[in-house]
Amino acid sequence: MDDLRVGDEDPRGLTRGAPVDVTFDGEPVVAFEGESVAAALLAADVRATRTTRRGGRPRGLFCGIGACHDCLVRVDGSGPVRACLTPVRDGMAVTSHVLGAGGPA
Amino acid sequence: MVAGGGDTFDVVVVGSGVVGAACAYELALAGRHVLVVDRGGLAAGTTASGEGNVLVSDKPPGPELDLARASVARWADYAAQLSEPFEYDPKGGVVVATDDAGRAPLADLVARQRDVGLAAELVDGAGLRTLEPHLAADLELGAHYPDDAQVQPVLASSALLADARRLGAEVRGHCDVLGFVHDRDGRVAGVRTTQGTVGAGAVVNAAGPWATAVARLAGSDLPVRPRRGHLLVTVPLAPTVHHKVYEAGYVDTLTADTTDAQVSAVVESTPSGTILLGSSRELVGFDTTVDLAVVRRIAARARRLFPVLADVDLLRVYTGLRPWVPDHLPIVGEDPAVRGLWHATGHEGAGIGLAPATGQLIRAGITDTPPPVDPLPFRVGRPGLRPAPVEAAARG
Amino acid sequence: MSGDRVPLVVLGAGPAGVAAAVAAADAGVPVTLVDLGARAGGQYHRREPAPFTTARAGALHHGLDRFSDDVERLTRAPGFRHVTGAGVWGVQRLADGAVRLATDRPELPLLEADAVVLATGANERVVPFPGWDLPGVLTVGGAQALLKGQGMRPGRAVVVAGAGPLLLPVAAALARVRTHLVAVTDANDPRAWLTGSPRGLRPATVKEGAAHLAALTRRGVRVRPRTAAIAAHGDGRVEEVVLARLARDWTPVPGSERTVPADALATSHGFVPDVGLAVGLGCTLDTTEATAPAVAVDTLQATSVAGVWAAGELTGVGGARVAAHEGTVAGLAAARTLGGTVDDTTLERAVARRRADAPFLRTLARVLTVGDGWTTWLTPDTLLCRCEEVTVGTVDTAIARRDADDLRSIKLTTRCGMGHCQARMCAANVAGLLTARTGRPPADPGTLDRRPVAHPVRLGDL
């Protein structure tokens, strides 16, 4: 199920970085070095990367450039980060971030 | 209606912040026909940049504590009576001594407050961490004040104004007062505004830090000056801070009249999940610039109380101007120099908390009925109100 | 604590910022270029990340080769410094006129400059509709960032719908990489480009537009004019998009609704200048358009604040070419003030080139409009503020019951605009909704664009 990554159709002749292993909420996700967490999750068919704190609404990638903060996730237990701006790293554990239910408690 | 004899009210309140809103609501309750005017949006000045403190803890025994206790009771009434909610939360306050030097003064303050019947309890380190599990482990003395509360200031003001309107009051935003109308005896008979002239039996000056400029339009003067404060707001997070928590040094910064920024930690959560971090107090005129250095100092003080905050994102910063007066007591009463002009200002950082009883004092004065507390310490002509330098009082 | 002090900071490394940096560097001024990106380009020239390689980098980009040459030249300029990956979260004008910047890079908490060129660009405006917060709905620019930056399609069955200059190029780029496009719709009529004065049309723009249309046609995709996505449905993610034909003012034509299956909807309706940092420095805004306040500048791109210049989209949306023209003017003007070598002819020529953009900008203003009719497809449950989950109904209640009639009172009584994005996503829509409901624009345009913390920053990093 890797049909979202553009292959030979890319007129730029794009070559991705080396494959790395990432998990999302414990499930393995295939990713390539240089990809953002958001792109890697999208390619793995993960659309909702968190739920909202009031209405429990699912949210995912929206603006894609770091402005909207809809794509917040946690990385290796960190505070919330924007998945669209955060590059994947081998061994990275990404978890869905629930605003307001996370943080020190 | 525009200028002319038809546009007449019993009382015109200048300023739609929490103090003006409380005055308007209390006067409307007493059957007075009230107009509230504000040169900007509703509650858009000092009220919009406050934490929403309803505090008894930071006041030693005296007239301001009396006013605060009357107000705390009245806020509880409002929470039960008003049609619109305003996030009233009687969650209590916790004051923490952050160094050895702060311990004795805190114990002394608590003892004096208990002497006048205030609910206040000294707590040790273990007790502190029962109240606030995330407090720094080395903090060993504090005090718990169950009567401290919090409201969302803009919601509180708009709730008061909404019910004042239901009682017949009118509210006009973006309506600036240009001058006063006086009768033959010099008594205030109305105001000229950007939306026309309005007749009034009395005018209440609830313009906060801008009250001096309003007083001057009427031919009077006040020593009210703006004192800037910064407030930091974090992203929403799970319940982490349960009371209003501040360091004992905060009480000293209230009365230190230097131009340097006085910074001490005030930390509390809001119903929306954010945490508010204060506070600073700076006498820098009407400059509302955010000072990045002060922001960093406040963050550092807040981390001193709650080390877990280091990993929390800062979301917003805002500055506000508080109405400072030389003797740190609100000015509430009729102006002896201009009859018919009433002042309700000078609450500095305590205006949200003190607004209800201030409104009751104004209502009692204008309707000649019994006041909730002795009005004498707050009177306009008292000796403690030395004139302030002219340049600092210019309208910003 | 006072941090480094440099002569000139250019904030933003898109077309405007790089042009400003090049102009100032050519005049002999040491330039510090500060940007959130890992490499120069901004959104327009967004590049793939370093671990990716390309055989023909410019193949999906217009004008990338020339831009790359400029960046290359910049790196060799004396005293040039490129601070990458740095989010500037705060600005402050100091008593001596210098500008202090606070960044989220722990090794550079504060940076001070004698002068600054702001080139902070714009944010996309997405007009709300029921379901616009479902995962799978993303901005057109977000889809572009995925494609250009990651070599990734937003979905397997994609609707591109909205308005604005990005719509056609992104739809065409998706078509070029053989994305299944279910529908491409424009809420305006693209033929409006051709109805005005020919002076307002740049040949290059016409050529690009024609090339995009041809790319779509080759893939069998027709751009439907006066049609919008007015709702998205799905269980936890987009599964269906409701399209409707629109009247000229964007009011949906009753009975024209059509539901199409899709797993992604790329949508936006134009741009809103990102003026937050300029407001923080006290720069005057031009609020003629209450939904899109822009930084007011003179012909030398000087703002109302001495020592602060602005160039590019934050002074009004005009596209990459206009932004670069403005950047050159701003860079030269700032350099001259700082004692750089700028001869009159060079500066006059740059100003004249920017002045010549005026007819094109008039065309843009005429063609790229947002019709008032969008407020008629909202339901009370539609989110207005995504971050704080404030619905249209909540805002309507505040207007009716609390007399909230300006942006500030809406914000303070509903929390609309108080969340993570700092009102970047909702400010224009709140202003537009308020205008529709009260019959006049808000009295305090620009209020939601005050963001003393430009983006969230760890308290431990302050």
Side-chain angles (χ1 to χ4, degrees), chain B:
Chain B
M1 228 175 293
V2 286
D7 209 13
T8 297
F9 294 82
D10 295 330
V11 184
V12 171
V13 177
V14 181
S16 68
V18 69
V19 172
C23 290
Y25 176 65
E26 293 289 345
L27 286 162
L29 274 183
R32 294 301 188 270
H33 189 212
V34 179
L35 170 68
V36 180
V37 297
D38 198 301
R39 65 170 176 168
L42 301 186
T46 300
T47 295
S49 41
E51 301 101 311
N53 292 334
V54 179
L55 298 189
V56 291
S57 55
D58 62 341
K59 296 168 184 69
E64 199 186 0
L65 181 58
D66 298 340
L67 194 66
R69 295 173 79 177
S71 277
V72 165
R74 193 70 179 142
W75 272 121
D77 294 344
Y78 290 168
Q81 288 167 9
L82 297 182
S83 312
E84 307 290 332
F86 53 89
E87 299 183 0
Y88 170 73
D89 187 2
K91 61 184 173 183
V94 172
V95 184
V96 181
T98 47
D99 54 28
D100 289 343
R103 296 164 65 96
L106 179 61
D108 175 62
L109 177 67
V110 167
R112 289 195 291 136
Q113 288 167 324
R114 287 172 64 98
D115 281 348
V116 296
L118 190 68
E121 207 72 57
L122 277 180
V123 282
D124 61 10
L128 276 178
R129 273 168 290 283
T130 304
L131 290 164
E132 291 291 343
H134 291 289
L135 269 175
D138 64 332
L139 299 172
E140 283 164 10
L141 182 74
H144 179 217
Y145 293 88
D147 290 342
D148 281 354
Q150 186 184 20
V151 301
Q152 207 273 37
V154 173
L155 290 181
S157 306
S158 78
L160 285 163
L161 290 173
D163 276 18
R165 273 198 306 273
R166 290 190 183 99
L167 295 165
E170 249 188 72
V171 181
R172 296 179 193 164
H174 302 285
C175 176
D176 201 0
V177 173
L178 304 170
F180 281 74
V181 179
H182 302 264
D183 66 13
R184 265 169 304 186
D185 304 327
R187 193 187 155 83
V188 164
V191 287
R192 288 186 294 109
T193 79
T194 49
Q195 295 179 21
T197 298
V198 180
V203 173
V204 178
N205 175 13
W210 299 275
T212 299
V214 172
R216 285 181 184 164
L217 289 175
S220 184
D221 204 358
L222 285 177
V224 177
R225 291 168 62 185
R227 199 184 195 191
R228 183 175 69 185
H230 284 70
L231 197 58
L232 283 58
V233 189
T234 71
V235 296
L237 61 161
T240 304
V241 177
H242 307 282
H243 303 79
K244 180 185 183 73
V245 182
Y246 62 93
E247 57 182 315
Y250 171 73
V251 179
D252 301 327
T253 68
L254 298 182
T255 50
D257 294 332
T258 64
T259 52
D260 279 353
Q262 302 289 307
V263 172
S264 65
V266 181
V267 181
E268 66 189 309
S269 56
T270 70
S272 58
T274 59
I275 298 182
L276 306 180
L277 312 176
S279 66
S280 70
R281 284 159 194 270
E282 311 134 73
L283 286 167
V284 291
F286 284 95
D287 179 5
T288 54
T289 309
V290 170
D291 185 332
L292 297 174
V294 173
V295 171
R296 300 180 74 201
R297 284 174 61 197
I298 291 174
R301 293 307 305 170
R303 293 196 309 258
R304 166 72 184 94
L305 287 187
F306 290 97
V308 289
L309 290 176
D311 231 359
V312 173
D313 279 353
L314 172 68
L315 183 56
R316 293 196 303 275
V317 172
Y318 49 96
T319 58
L321 301 172
R322 306 180 175 104
W324 172 96
V325 286
D327 63 1
H328 304 288
L329 266 189
I331 303 173
V332 187
E334 190 173 18
D335 193 321
V338 184
R339 306 313 292 190
L341 174 63
W342 295 71
H343 299 296
T345 182
H347 300 78
E348 205 175 325
I352 312 296
L354 300 178
T358 300
Q360 289 178 303
L361 272 180
I362 290 290
R363 165 188 176 169
I366 289 180
T367 61
D368 204 17
T369 51
V373 296
D374 180 6
L376 211 59
F378 309 106
R379 71 189 183 280
V380 179
R382 65 185 188 251
L385 300 181
R386 300 175 310 276
V390 171
E391 84 285 354
R395 203 166 185 195

Side-chain angles (χ1 to χ4, degrees), chain A residues 1-18 30 32-70 72 78-80 82-88 97 99-100, chain C residues 36 43 46-61 104 122-124 126 132-143 145-156 176-178 236-238 263-264 267 381 383 385-389 391 415 420-422 424-425 455-456:
Chain A
M1 185 95 100
D2 205 16
D3 48 341
L4 292 185
R5 286 190 178 88
V6 180
D8 295 341
E9 318 88 276
D10 194 316
R12 293 172 295 183
L14 190 73
T15 307
R16 292 185 163 72
V30 177
F32 295 89
E33 219 184 323
E35 282 184 345
S36 68
V37 170
L41 292 178
L42 177 69
D45 218 31
V46 176
R47 298 297 170 95
T49 51
R50 69 170 169 102
T51 51
T52 58
R53 77 193 143 95
R54 291 169 194 272
R57 298 172 167 94
R59 284 286 166 85
L61 182 70
F62 182 63
C63 82
I65 62 166
C68 77
H69 288 75
D70 267 348
L72 291 174
S78 73
R82 289 167 278 183
C84 70
L85 296 184
T86 306
V88 294
H97 171 69
L99 271 175
Chain C
L36 183 61
Q43 302 310 329
R46 173 180 281 272
R47 296 289 305 278
E48 66 286 350
F52 286 25
T53 57
T54 51
R56 299 166 296 278
L60 269 183
H61 299 254
D104 57 9
N123 295 298
E124 275 183 288
V126 182
W132 75 307
D133 60 320
L134 275 177
V137 178
L138 77 173
T139 67
V140 176
L146 271 179
L147 186 58
K148 281 188 182 178
Q150 302 280 322
M152 192 84 68
R153 301 180 186 91
R156 298 180 179 88
R176 285 190 184 102
V177 300
R178 290 177 215 162
R237 55 189 280 179
V238 174
D263 72 337
T267 183
D381 292 339
L383 290 185
C385 168
R386 301 169 64 92
C387 301
E388 293 297 308
E389 299 172 76
T391 64
R415 304 190 57 76
H420 271 77
C421 85
Q422 309 268 31
R424 283 181 177 85
M425 298 299 123
H455 63 82

Side-chain angles (χ1 to χ4, degrees), chain C residues 105-245:
Chain C
R105 293 272 300 263
E107 73 278 14
L108 192 69
L110 296 176
L111 175 67
E112 289 175 18
D114 296 325
V116 60
V117 175
L118 300 174
T120 51
N123 295 298
E124 275 183 288
R125 176 178 179 188
V126 182
V127 158
F129 49 84
W132 75 307
D133 60 320
L134 275 177
V137 178
L138 77 173
T139 67
V140 176
Q144 183 186 44
L146 271 179
L147 186 58
K148 281 188 182 178
Q150 302 280 322
M152 192 84 68
R153 301 180 186 91
R156 298 180 179 88
V158 181
V159 173
V160 180
L166 213 48
L167 202 65
L168 195 56
V170 173
L174 288 170
R176 285 190 184 102
V177 300
R178 290 177 215 162
T179 308
H180 173 43
L181 292 174
V182 177
V184 178
T185 72
D186 190 331
N188 291 319
D189 188 341
R191 282 166 297 198
W193 281 95
L194 304 172
T195 58
S197 151
R199 284 190 61 229
L201 273 185
R202 295 184 307 212
T205 306
V206 177
K207 210 171 124 196
E208 281 168 28
H212 295 324
L213 282 173
L216 287 165
T217 307
R218 272 199 302 279
R219 306 293 311 171
V221 179
R222 187 173 78 84
V223 179
R224 290 167 206 282
R226 293 240 168 89
T227 305
I230 62 166
H233 302 302
D235 181 11
R237 55 189 280 179
V238 174
E239 291 163 355
E240 291 175 347
V241 175
V242 180
L243 302 172
R245 285 208 319 280

